[in-house]
Amino acid sequence: MVWSCNAGRTKVRTGVVVFSALKDQATVALPADTDYARRALLPAGLRDELPPEAEHRAHCIDTLLRSFAGEGYERVDPPLVEFEDSLLNGADASVAAQTFRLMDPVSQRMLAVRPDVTVQIARIATTRLGGRPRPLRLAYAGSVLRVRGDQLNPERQLTQVGAELIGPDLVTADVEVIRIAIEALRALGLKGLSVDLNLAPLVPAVLDQYGIHGDARSELRAALDRKDAAAVAALAGPAGETLAGLLAATGPARAALMLLTSLELPAAVAPYREKLKAIVQAILDEVPDIGLTLDPVEHRGFEYYTGVGFSLFATGVRGELGRGGRYGVTPMDDEPGQPATGVTLYLDAVMQAAPSAKPRKRLYLPLGTPATIAQWHRSEGWVTVAGLQIDHDPAAEAKRLNCRHVWISDAIVAL
Amino acid sequence: MVWSCNAGRTKVRTGVVVFSALKDQATVALPADTDYARRALLPAGLRDELPPEAEHRAHCIDTLLRSFAGEGYERVDPPLVEFEDSLLNGADASVAAQTFRLMDPVSQRMLAVRPDVTVQIARIATTRLGGRPRPLRLAYAGSVLRVRGDQLNPERQLTQVGAELIGPDLVTADVEVIRIAIEALRALGLKGLSVDLNLAPLVPAVLDQYGIHGDARSELRAALDRKDAAAVAALAGPAGETLAGLLAATGPARAALMLLTSLELPAAVAPYREKLKAIVQAILDEVPDIGLTLDPVEHRGFEYYTGVGFSLFATGVRGELGRGGRYGVTPMDDEPGQPATGVTLYLDAVMQAAPSAKPRKRLYLPLGTPATIAQWHRSEGWVTVAGLQIDHDPAAEAKRLNCRHVWISDAIVAL
């Protein structure tokens, strides 16, 4: 059987073939050996979301953005593609390699499909919304594409939901972003949430202070990344005591903060610690019922943060639910810098942790049921499923269509 | 000033420059003569959706899908990109030319960014959901990209929201799809809705019947498209009376249907008319309070429909709000065909016609306001905007942040 479908809605004529062996998700890339397989399969890392997961995704996005909106974060929606040079300007090589590109025949320039939405929000905040009062609170939800999945997550189309607070570099701003992320996740019913705080600029500042550069610096960073205290001691020379102290100040926040506080730090580095202490204290006060840990030597993926960064976790969920933190502004002229802080939630991880909404009850209405009956039940929260032809056995038809209730003789009959 | 932003969330480092002349939407493609202009501008036909429009879009999508869900249409969510040959298999040249393509380094095959979602839904219905009972009711919302905009709508990223009913070829199914489209649009507050019904296979069947082919057929179609009765009479020969009758049967449904009914049609063509009559009658019964018109010679954009097609309009809105109809299945072997009918709503047009939701009231909470006060007001529907530092004049700060209310001395003060 061949569909000569189109639904004419964009004048597409396609052929889609029933291929009953492929009724489940199949995302492996296959050699194009048969027409059947080719038409039913998707590229690796891309998939069709089916009922009820697609509904669950929409519910999660809606709930998170509703929560952000309640705190004054207004929604923006940048396009899926942009000029490559605006989207990737200054990006590392690794990001550029992860980005799909398109030739635009209209502008005769290269476009890129966004691998991340945050960069677009920063662009909007500083251009189109450059005149809005600060702090500027923005939220977004959108799909991003990357060329390759990774071990933890093979998906290549991901959904990001986030909030950005563009405004003063204040502890209250850092704390607000963490708080609203936790509240949004809780609005979805997530439990066992924890926040791991890091401070990516701290170690580089210490290494600068002790004049550690080149290979020695790289080796030391690798040892710190492995949390290898012995190697750190062997490599660090005069910085050894400080770095050992930072390495020890990892773990549950209260204890780690005490260790961090007792540490002697070079004067140039101490302000970072003060900021972190203030943020930890505020989170303990304002969001007391979460797990809070510190990892002051963590920096992987946080290289460009200029202050406190954080990762969000939930017990029982593999990987991060999201991450965020303070990012940087380098004033180049007389204009004042625009500091910002924000959070990106990884919806695919969040969805796995979020309890599914209870499925709505489905009521089968045999052909001829008055429209008012259908409307009334929908207004009461029912899903109504209309019969399209006269049934010999309406109850059997209802069951076949996954309805546990049927309208017979002016009443709902449970099946 | 240069952002060395990234928010590190995908390790992007970007440079975004404040460019105060570009605070509004600017979607023209510019020569890349300055860094400033390049970074702030988007390609022609792509744009940032800002507050409050982005919120309005989300509200419209949510309302439409909620309405479809109430009638048993379950959401599916296909990916933004697919293998080119599965997405465009059998597509016209015009669609293929409107489709952006990407090279996939993983599969070493070409991918295409979808120009339409309907084709994906047909693929899902016949493959992954091939085993679900029929009628199968599916709904979707998604962005599509096209290479070029058109005169009526320069946008190149569009949102489609739709519903598909895969199942028996019954009048009740055709009518259900039209009814749920109208109900969904009404749920958004749209008024003055009308439906224009067409029957794309009718004229070709008449022309076949009278053996009109080649150039004569093309000229006649062009004359019918122009509604040029004189040219039709001159060109149509023995088909003249029938085609003149079809041309006259255009306009408000009751009168047009009477003309159509009185028309003598070849026996092979009459069943199309009977189907149309049955659908018109059912719509007049079930959805009495809409404008209903017929245009039996219309076919542009409906070439691949196999039965009744329709366009949706609202008074005061330029262009269609959506279109749909019955599409075709050509059985090639012993498997039974799978007829389907559906509707695609063009969200960008729908949004213009839909009344905006009333903006929520914003309450400014000076620094130090207890969290319970904030939570309580949010639960009452307020948007709360938190002060990040101590204000000398909280009322002035509230106004600056677009809040008409401020929390002072344990009470809401209206400004």
Side-chain angles (χ1 to χ4, degrees):
Chain A
M1 191 205 86
V2 165
W3 281 84
S4 78
C5 132
N6 136 293
R9 278 156 248 167
T10 56
K11 302 182 202 161
V12 175
R13 179 171 191 169
T14 192
V16 177
V17 178
V18 173
F19 189 56
S20 49
L22 285 167
K23 276 162 196 159
D24 291 312
Q25 290 290 356
T27 58
V28 271
L30 265 205
D33 48 2
T34 71
D35 252 25
Y36 282 9
R38 230 179 36 215
R39 290 175 189 169
L41 281 183
L42 291 172
L46 295 166
R47 63 198 177 86
D48 295 318
E49 206 146 47
L50 302 180
E53 286 73 26
E55 184 61 40
H56 184 49
R57 176 177 298 267
H59 164 73
C60 290
I61 292 173
D62 183 57
T63 304
L64 295 170
L65 283 169
R66 201 180 291 263
S67 184
F68 291 151
E71 309 258 4
Y73 288 74
E74 294 182 278
R75 189 158 178 164
V76 290
D77 208 353
L80 290 168
V81 301
E82 286 197 23
F83 288 127
E84 175 187 19
D85 49 6
S86 101
L87 201 58
L88 295 180
N89 178 46
D92 353 274
S94 68
V95 173
Q98 274 288 48
T99 303
F100 278 110
R101 289 171 183 74
L102 305 160
M103 181 62 201
D104 181 13
V106 173
S107 62
Q108 299 284 325
R109 288 171 57 191
M110 289 305 287
L111 308 182
V113 184
R114 63 184 179 199
D116 178 62
V117 184
T118 319
V119 173
Q120 297 184 301
I121 307 301
R123 177 180 57 69
I124 292 172
T126 51
T127 56
R128 301 193 206 295
L129 300 181
R132 295 266 181 111
R134 267 52 178 162
L136 178 65
R137 291 173 168 96
L138 300 176
Y140 63 89
S143 298
V144 302
L145 282 187
R146 54 183 183 171
V147 169
R148 286 186 168 79
D150 55 43
Q151 239 177 342
L152 198 63
N153 184 359
E155 301 293 324
R156 299 200 284 165
Q157 177 175 330
L158 302 167
T159 305
Q160 294 185 344
V161 177
E164 305 292 326
L165 175 49
I166 296 98
D169 180 3
L170 293 167
V171 167
T172 46
D174 290 282
V175 173
E176 173 170 310
V177 162
I178 294 171
R179 180 178 59 74
I180 65 163
I182 296 288
E183 284 178 4
L185 293 170
R186 285 189 172 154
L188 269 179
L190 269 72
K191 295 198 194 312
L193 294 172
S194 62
V195 177
D196 187 47
L197 294 176
N198 60 57
L199 189 48
L202 185 60
V203 168
V206 170
L207 299 180
D208 287 349
Q209 200 62 28
Y210 286 98
I212 301 171
H213 296 287
D215 289 349
R217 189 175 179 121
S218 308
E219 284 173 45
L220 204 42
R221 290 251 50 167
L224 287 164
D225 288 348
R226 296 193 305 272
K227 308 270 192 269
D228 181 346
V232 169
L235 292 161
E241 200 175 333
T242 302
L243 292 176
L246 293 179
L247 209 48
T250 295
R254 286 176 202 277
L257 196 62
M258 281 177 61
L259 287 171
L260 199 63
T261 304
S262 66
L263 206 60
E264 272 199 48
L265 286 180
V269 175
Y272 287 111
R273 175 173 63 186
E274 295 314 305
K275 195 71 158 257
L276 181 62
K277 282 171 64 176
I279 289 171
V280 168
Q281 199 51 60
I283 293 173
L284 292 172
D285 288 349
E286 291 186 35
V287 201
D289 42 357
I290 52 156
L292 185 62
T293 54
L294 298 194
D295 191 350
V297 305
E298 178 61 75
H299 69 110
R300 287 164 290 184
F302 289 90
E303 287 83 354
Y304 301 106
Y305 280 77
T306 58
V308 169
F310 62 90
S311 293
L312 298 163
F313 299 93
T315 45
V317 181
R318 197 174 154 212
E320 292 170 300
L321 298 176
R323 57 166 57 183
R326 179 156 293 285
Y327 47 103
V329 180
T330 314
M332 267 184 50
D333 54 25
D334 296 341
E335 277 193 64
Q338 287 201 29
T341 176
V343 60
T344 301
L345 299 173
Y346 305 138
L347 195 72
D348 303 80
V350 171
M351 276 175 70
Q352 287 168 35
S356 299
K358 216 174 130 192
R360 287 167 67 189
K361 287 193 292 185
R362 290 163 63 90
L363 173 62
Y364 181 69
L365 302 176
L367 185 64
T369 306
T372 49
I373 298 291
Q375 285 154 9
W376 190 84
H377 284 95
R378 284 196 294 272
S379 74
E380 292 287 299
W382 288 86
V383 169
T384 62
V385 176
L388 297 176
Q389 47 196 327
I390 292 168
D391 305 305
H392 296 296
D393 181 351
E397 182 65 4
K399 276 191 208 161
R400 194 180 71 82
L401 294 175
N402 197 26
C403 298
R404 300 239 180 117
H405 296 83
V406 59
W407 185 255
I408 298 179
S409 309
D410 292 336
I412 292 176
V413 176
L415 300 172
Chain B
M1 191 205 85
V2 166
W3 282 83
S4 78
C5 130
N6 135 296
R9 278 156 252 169
T10 54
K11 302 181 201 162
V12 175
R13 179 172 191 165
T14 194
V16 177
V17 178
V18 173
F19 189 54
S20 49
L22 286 166
K23 274 162 198 160
D24 290 314
Q25 289 292 355
T27 58
V28 270
L30 266 206
D33 49 0
T34 71
D35 252 24
Y36 281 9
R38 228 176 39 209
R39 289 176 190 169
L41 279 185
L42 291 172
L46 294 167
R47 63 198 177 84
D48 295 318
E49 206 148 48
L50 303 180
E53 285 75 24
E55 184 61 39
H56 183 50
R57 175 177 298 266
H59 164 73
C60 289
I61 292 173
D62 183 57
T63 304
L64 295 171
L65 283 169
R66 201 180 290 264
S67 184
F68 291 151
E71 309 258 4
Y73 287 75
E74 295 183 276
R75 189 157 177 166
V76 290
D77 208 353
L80 290 168
V81 301
E82 285 197 25
F83 289 127
E84 176 188 19
D85 49 6
S86 101
L87 201 59
L88 295 181
N89 179 46
D92 310 321
S94 68
V95 173
Q98 274 288 48
T99 303
F100 279 112
R101 287 169 183 74
L102 305 159
M103 181 62 200
D104 180 15
V106 173
S107 63
Q108 299 285 323
R109 288 171 58 190
M110 288 307 286
L111 307 182
V113 184
R114 61 182 179 201
D116 177 62
V117 184
T118 319
V119 174
Q120 297 185 301
I121 307 301
R123 177 180 57 69
I124 292 172
T126 51
T127 56
R128 302 192 205 296
L129 300 181
R132 296 266 181 113
R134 270 49 180 162
L136 178 64
R137 290 172 168 96
L138 299 175
Y140 63 89
S143 298
V144 301
L145 283 186
R146 53 183 183 173
V147 170
R148 288 187 165 80
D150 54 42
Q151 239 176 341
L152 197 64
N153 183 359
E155 301 294 324
R156 299 200 285 164
Q157 178 174 329
L158 302 167
T159 305
Q160 294 185 344
V161 177
E164 305 293 325
L165 175 48
I166 296 98
D169 179 3
L170 293 168
V171 166
T172 46
D174 290 280
V175 173
E176 173 171 310
V177 163
I178 293 171
R179 179 177 59 75
I180 65 164
I182 295 288
E183 284 179 5
L185 293 170
R186 285 189 173 153
L188 270 179
L190 269 72
K191 295 197 195 312
L193 294 172
S194 62
V195 177
D196 187 48
L197 295 176
N198 60 56
L199 190 47
L202 185 60
V203 168
V206 170
L207 299 180
D208 286 349
Q209 199 63 27
Y210 286 99
I212 301 171
H213 297 288
D215 289 349
R217 189 174 179 123
S218 310
E219 284 173 46
L220 204 41
R221 290 250 52 166
L224 287 164
D225 289 347
R226 296 195 305 272
K227 309 268 191 270
D228 181 347
V232 169
L235 291 162
E241 199 176 332
T242 302
L243 292 175
L246 293 178
L247 209 48
T250 296
R254 285 175 202 276
L257 197 61
M258 280 177 63
L259 287 172
L260 199 63
T261 304
S262 66
L263 205 60
E264 269 198 51
L265 287 180
V269 175
Y272 287 111
R273 174 173 64 185
E274 294 315 304
K275 194 73 158 256
L276 180 61
K277 281 171 64 177
I279 290 172
V280 169
Q281 197 51 58
I283 294 174
L284 291 173
D285 289 349
E286 292 186 35
V287 201
D289 41 355
I290 51 157
L292 185 63
T293 53
L294 298 195
D295 191 349
V297 304
E298 178 61 76
H299 69 109
R300 285 163 291 184
F302 289 90
E303 287 83 355
Y304 301 106
Y305 281 77
T306 58
V308 169
F310 61 90
S311 294
L312 298 163
F313 298 94
T315 43
V317 181
R318 197 175 154 213
E320 293 170 301
L321 298 176
R323 58 165 57 183
R326 179 156 293 283
Y327 48 104
V329 179
T330 314
M332 264 185 51
D333 53 26
D334 296 340
E335 277 193 66
Q338 288 203 28
T341 177
V343 59
T344 300
L345 299 173
Y346 305 138
L347 196 73
D348 303 80
V350 171
M351 278 175 68
Q352 287 169 34
S356 298
K358 215 175 132 192
R360 287 168 67 188
K361 287 192 293 185
R362 289 163 63 92
L363 173 63
Y364 181 70
L365 301 177
L367 185 64
T369 306
T372 49
I373 298 291
Q375 284 154 10
W376 191 83
H377 284 94
R378 285 197 293 272
S379 74
E380 292 287 300
W382 288 87
V383 170
T384 63
V385 176
L388 297 174
Q389 48 196 326
I390 292 168
D391 306 306
H392 296 295
D393 181 352
E397 182 65 2
K399 276 190 209 161
R400 195 181 69 81
L401 294 175
N402 196 26
C403 298
R404 300 239 180 117
H405 296 83
V406 58
W407 185 256
I408 297 178
S409 310
D410 291 335
I412 291 176
V413 177
L415 301 172

